[in-house]
Structure formats: C-alpha cells, structure tokens
Amino acid sequence: MTKYNTLLYYCYSAIEDAEQYAADHLKFCKSLGLFGRIIVADEGLNGTISGTADACKTYMDAVHSDARFATTEFKIDEVDEPSFVKMHVRYKSEIVHSGLRDPKIINPMEKTGKHLEPKDFLAMKDRDDVVVLDVRSNYEHSLGKFKNAITLDIENFRDFPAKINELAQFKDKKILTYCTGGIKCEKASALLLHEGFTDVYQLHGGIIKYGKEAGGEDFEGKCYVFDNRLAVDVNSVNPVVISTCFNCGKQTDKMINCANPECNEHFTQCDECGTALDGCCSNDCKSHPRKREYDGTGYYVKIPQPVNEKKGAKV
C-alpha cells in the first residue's frame, strides 16, 4: 500500500525574482505529483504539501540542496491519503501576512525571539515569571491551545499588531509565543521585541513539533491545520477536549467550514448538528442557493480560477 506524507515547513530567506521562482516551483511540484499549498515571497517560503513518501523525500532533498533553504526544517506526518487534491504555488508580498513589511520593524532573518526546543518549552511554560502567548486566530485557539495560555481576539494574524497594547501588562515577564508550525512566531516575537518586550521566546517548530517531541503535554484540544484534515491530535500524555459545538454547545472537537461558500465560516460542530444543518452554521446558510454538498468532512476544495503559471497561480 502506498504511503503518503504531509510536510509542513517555512524558511525566511531572501529570494531574488520570487515571482518567477514561484512559477518554476509550481512546475517542479507538479512533476513530482505533489499536492498542496505553497506561498513564495521575497522573504522566503511557506508551505504544506502532500504526496508519496518518495516524492516528498525528493522534494525535501531539492529544497535542502538550495543554499538559501538548506536549514529548512520539515515537520512530517504519515497520512493515509494526500491532504490536498490540488497543487497551488502563489507569489505574495509576505509568507505570513502581518501587514508590517518595514524591515526596520520586522525582519525575521535578523532578529526574533529566542527559539525554545519542545523539551525546554515544556520545562519553562508553568513558571511564575512566564506568560505563554498564543498568536493564532480565534478559530484556531478555540479548537485547541496550551493550558493557561493567553489568547487574543483576532480573526487573522494581521490583527496581531493592534493587540500589542493589551499585552503591556506582561512586559516584566518572559513571553513564550507559539503557533502551529512556528512561522507566525517569527514575526510576532520580532514585533514584541520592537515594542519593548525584552525577554521573548518562541516554540521552535510550533505545536506540531511539540506534539512529536514532547508528547503534546498540556496542549488541550486539537490543532487546526490548513489542509483537508482540518484538525490533528497533538497530546498523547493528558489529552482533553475543550471545544464545543457552535450550534448546541455539546462538547466536540470536529472542525468544519460552513457549506455555504459565501460564509465559509470555520467552526466546531457535532455530527448531530452537522446532519441537521447539512454542514452549515445556520438555517439561513442551509437554505442558501449556492450551498455545497456536505459529505461529513466539512472540507471543500476552492473553485478553480483561470491558470496563469507565469504568476505561480493555482492549477
């Protein structure tokens, strides 16, 4: 039986003519039979891809052979089937959108928080002089987060800078930031340092690596991921479910997207409400004329747009 892998990775490294690189990279990924989503920017790469174990190894070897990306760390999951159905490579202004592109404020290639390996994060996180900070969006931390972590009311990471003032009360503490794979923490920790926080750390490899190397201890709930799995288990030490059904309040850790494409809300929903509402967040969405067919997963492939390989567009 064919074994598949899903790779999560990022690398901050300057790319000259990144738009052309994106177009070439798309062709390379397609030649390997890979599926996934990669963002290319002048500042680096950010990707989640999936394919056979052999294809994924060939891809990792190719990335590592490029001196710009030689230190890229891949988080590898074994999966029963590819975690995507299409291959996208897009050129964008940032590999994670912060809205702050002034290198004098944020430049992860020059200055970020101190990287903590999972075992060190585990050892530090419960100290009295420490604050654990989740820098992810609402729908992510509502599904799962570290016990006692500070969470922020943000819809997207670009909302993070506006929340810095809310964290001023913790300036005398050690700030331990975390996110899914580490990429958001590179910019979040850099911004905190710029704003006068003096003792800032980040969980190296994020929640995913922490689950693999520290058993996910004290991570409550599941981790949201940006592929058709939607959520993955992290904690094999003391797991609990913290999320509840958006509709009835029953405890559930099933994350879906609303079947109404004009809503497409990320939310948790139990199977009973999923059946009753046909994968929608409300009766209004259930009756929407463009409602997609609900297959029980709550994951939907985006409608294809015209192809423009010169721009690294999706195929």
Side-chain angles (χ1 to χ4, degrees):
M1 182 177 178
T2 303
K3 296 292 185 182
Y4 297 97
N5 287 162
T6 294
L7 311 177
L8 174 67
Y9 71 97
Y10 70 89
C11 182
Y12 283 99
S13 183
I15 303 176
E16 187 176 345
D17 197 3
E19 192 166 4
Q20 183 60 51
Y21 179 90
D24 295 340
H25 205 66
L26 172 62
K27 293 177 183 177
F28 174 61
C29 291
K30 288 176 64 179
S31 75
L32 296 178
L34 295 170
F35 305 94
R37 184 181 300 115
I38 299 171
I39 297 172
V40 179
D42 297 342
E43 64 183 6
L45 300 174
N46 174 17
T48 307
I49 61 170
S50 197
T52 66
D54 287 344
C56 286
K57 184 180 186 307
T58 299
Y59 179 83
M60 290 187 286
D61 289 344
V63 170
H64 284 149
S65 70
D66 188 322
R68 295 170 295 182
F69 315 123
T71 61
T72 301
E73 182 172 296
F74 289 90
K75 275 75 76 177
I76 306 171
D77 280 342
E78 292 186 356
V79 293
D80 293 331
E81 58 186 20
S83 300
F84 296 88
V85 296
K86 293 182 179 295
M87 186 69 235
H88 308 259
V89 180
R90 294 187 179 92
Y91 170 77
K92 293 191 175 183
S93 59
E94 299 178 85
I95 56 176
V96 59
H97 184 34
S98 67
L100 296 172
R101 299 202 296 275
D102 184 345
K104 295 178 182 178
I105 297 176
I106 290 183
N107 187 347
M109 289 177 272
E110 292 185 0
K111 187 176 184 180
T112 64
K114 303 162 194 164
H115 287 64
L116 283 177
E117 294 302 322
K119 62 181 178 58
D120 300 316
F121 184 92
L122 175 62
M124 283 185 65
K125 68 180 182 60
D126 294 323
R127 286 170 38 174
D128 291 339
D129 61 340
V130 163
V131 168
V132 176
L133 175 64
D134 192 319
V135 303
R136 300 172 303 151
S137 305
N138 290 334
Y139 63 87
E140 296 175 84
H141 60 66
S142 68
L143 180 65
K145 66 182 184 66
F146 278 102
K147 183 179 180 180
N148 300 324
I150 300 296
T151 58
L152 301 173
D153 182 13
I154 57 177
E155 294 299 319
N156 297 283
F157 183 64
R158 62 178 174 267
D159 299 329
F160 177 79
K163 295 293 183 177
I164 292 292
N165 288 340
E166 295 180 15
L167 302 172
Q169 60 184 306
F170 304 121
K171 278 195 173 181
D172 62 339
K173 302 278 190 178
K174 292 178 171 61
I175 308 296
L176 273 55
T177 65
Y178 74 89
C179 60
T180 306
I183 188 171
K184 292 178 181 177
C185 289
E186 301 281 6
K187 291 194 172 183
S189 65
L191 182 59
L192 288 167
L193 289 167
H194 177 78
E195 294 294 331
F197 293 79
T198 58
D199 216 354
V200 182
Y201 301 79
Q202 61 191 82
L203 174 57
H204 182 212
I207 298 163
I208 300 300
K209 185 175 181 181
Y210 182 84
K212 295 179 182 300
E213 297 187 8
E217 184 172 344
D218 290 337
F219 185 84
E220 300 180 328
K222 288 190 174 184
C223 180
Y224 183 91
V225 290
F226 297 86
D227 57 61
N228 64 6
R229 297 172 295 171
L230 291 179
V232 297
D233 291 320
V234 173
N235 191 334
S236 59
V237 179
N238 54 351
V240 296
V241 177
I242 63 168
S243 50
T244 57
C245 177
F246 175 79
N247 302 105
C248 72
K250 175 182 172 183
Q251 197 172 64
T252 181
D253 58 10
K254 184 177 181 179
M255 172 70 77
I256 72 168
N257 291 114
C258 181
N260 173 9
E262 294 186 12
C263 173
N264 206 43
E265 182 74 26
H266 302 278
F267 66 104
T268 44
Q269 185 180 63
C270 69
D271 286 330
E272 289 81 2
C273 289
T275 298
L277 291 167
D278 207 19
C280 292
C281 65
S282 66
N283 282 311
D284 285 345
C285 282
K286 182 180 179 181
S287 61
H288 194 279
R290 292 187 59 211
K291 190 192 82 65
R292 299 169 288 200
E293 183 178 352
Y294 179 59
D295 66 0
T297 67
Y299 176 81
Y300 304 96
V301 179
K302 291 183 179 179
I303 298 172
Q305 300 297 316
V307 175
N308 183 355
E309 292 198 10
K310 289 183 179 180
K311 298 293 184 182
K314 64 183 182 181
V315 174

Short mmCIF file of all heavy atoms in Angstrom, two decimals, residues 17 30 41 51 74 79 114 157 188 205 257 283 302 304:
data_model
loop_
_atom_site.label_atom_id
_atom_site.label_comp_id
_atom_site.label_asym_id
_atom_site.label_seq_id
_atom_site.Cartn_x
_atom_site.Cartn_y
_atom_site.Cartn_z
N ASP A 17 13.84 37.63 -7.53
CA ASP A 17 12.83 37.31 -8.56
C ASP A 17 11.91 36.19 -8.06
O ASP A 17 11.74 35.15 -8.70
CB ASP A 17 13.49 36.91 -9.87
CG ASP A 17 12.50 36.97 -11.05
OD1 ASP A 17 11.34 37.39 -10.84
OD2 ASP A 17 12.89 36.58 -12.16
N LYS A 30 4.49 19.87 -9.55
CA LYS A 30 3.60 19.07 -10.40
C LYS A 30 4.34 17.88 -11.00
O LYS A 30 3.77 16.80 -11.15
CB LYS A 30 3.02 19.96 -11.49
CG LYS A 30 1.99 20.97 -10.99
CD LYS A 30 1.52 21.89 -12.10
CE LYS A 30 0.80 21.14 -13.19
NZ LYS A 30 0.32 22.06 -14.26
N ALA A 41 7.44 34.44 -1.34
CA ALA A 41 7.57 35.89 -1.26
C ALA A 41 9.05 36.25 -1.32
O ALA A 41 9.92 35.37 -1.24
CB ALA A 41 6.95 36.42 0.04
N GLY A 51 2.12 14.06 -0.61
CA GLY A 51 2.33 13.15 -1.71
C GLY A 51 2.94 11.85 -1.21
O GLY A 51 2.99 11.60 0.00
N PHE A 74 11.49 20.41 8.14
CA PHE A 74 10.21 19.86 7.70
C PHE A 74 9.56 19.07 8.84
O PHE A 74 10.21 18.21 9.45
CB PHE A 74 10.41 18.93 6.50
CG PHE A 74 10.78 19.63 5.23
CD1 PHE A 74 12.11 19.85 4.92
CD2 PHE A 74 9.80 20.07 4.36
CE1 PHE A 74 12.46 20.50 3.73
CE2 PHE A 74 10.14 20.72 3.18
CZ PHE A 74 11.47 20.94 2.87
N VAL A 79 0.26 9.97 6.47
CA VAL A 79 -1.19 10.07 6.27
C VAL A 79 -1.65 8.94 5.34
O VAL A 79 -0.86 8.39 4.58
CB VAL A 79 -1.59 11.44 5.69
CG1 VAL A 79 -1.34 12.55 6.71
CG2 VAL A 79 -0.82 11.74 4.40
N LYS A 114 13.99 34.20 21.15
CA LYS A 114 14.87 33.04 21.31
C LYS A 114 14.08 31.76 21.05
O LYS A 114 13.00 31.57 21.60
CB LYS A 114 15.45 33.02 22.73
CG LYS A 114 16.19 34.28 23.11
CD LYS A 114 16.35 34.38 24.63
CE LYS A 114 16.79 35.77 25.03
NZ LYS A 114 16.58 36.05 26.46
N PHE A 157 -3.92 36.83 11.49
CA PHE A 157 -2.66 37.25 12.10
C PHE A 157 -2.38 38.73 11.85
O PHE A 157 -1.71 39.37 12.65
CB PHE A 157 -1.52 36.38 11.57
CG PHE A 157 -0.19 36.70 12.22
CD1 PHE A 157 0.01 36.49 13.58
CD2 PHE A 157 0.85 37.22 11.46
CE1 PHE A 157 1.22 36.79 14.18
CE2 PHE A 157 2.08 37.51 12.06
CZ PHE A 157 2.26 37.30 13.42
N ALA A 188 5.73 37.60 15.18
CA ALA A 188 5.13 38.06 16.44
C ALA A 188 6.21 38.39 17.46
O ALA A 188 6.15 39.43 18.13
CB ALA A 188 4.19 36.99 17.00
N GLY A 205 9.41 25.12 15.93
CA GLY A 205 8.63 24.07 15.26
C GLY A 205 7.17 24.06 15.62
O GLY A 205 6.39 23.27 15.08
N ASN A 257 -15.80 23.76 7.79
CA ASN A 257 -16.12 25.02 7.14
C ASN A 257 -17.61 24.98 6.78
O ASN A 257 -18.11 23.95 6.34
CB ASN A 257 -15.32 25.22 5.85
CG ASN A 257 -13.85 25.46 6.10
OD1 ASN A 257 -13.03 24.64 5.73
ND2 ASN A 257 -13.53 26.55 6.73
N ASN A 283 -29.50 27.93 9.77
CA ASN A 283 -30.56 27.59 8.81
C ASN A 283 -30.53 28.51 7.60
O ASN A 283 -30.87 28.10 6.49
CB ASN A 283 -31.93 27.67 9.49
CG ASN A 283 -32.20 26.45 10.36
OD1 ASN A 283 -32.03 25.31 9.92
ND2 ASN A 283 -32.63 26.68 11.59
N LYS A 302 -11.49 24.77 -3.16
CA LYS A 302 -11.87 26.04 -3.76
C LYS A 302 -12.13 25.87 -5.25
O LYS A 302 -11.51 25.06 -5.92
CB LYS A 302 -10.77 27.08 -3.55
CG LYS A 302 -10.63 27.52 -2.08
CD LYS A 302 -9.59 28.59 -1.94
CE LYS A 302 -9.48 29.05 -0.50
NZ LYS A 302 -8.45 30.09 -0.32
N PRO A 304 -11.73 26.30 -8.98
CA PRO A 304 -10.55 26.69 -9.75
C PRO A 304 -10.73 28.03 -10.47
O PRO A 304 -11.81 28.36 -10.93
CB PRO A 304 -10.40 25.55 -10.76
CG PRO A 304 -11.14 24.40 -10.15
CD PRO A 304 -12.27 25.00 -9.39
#
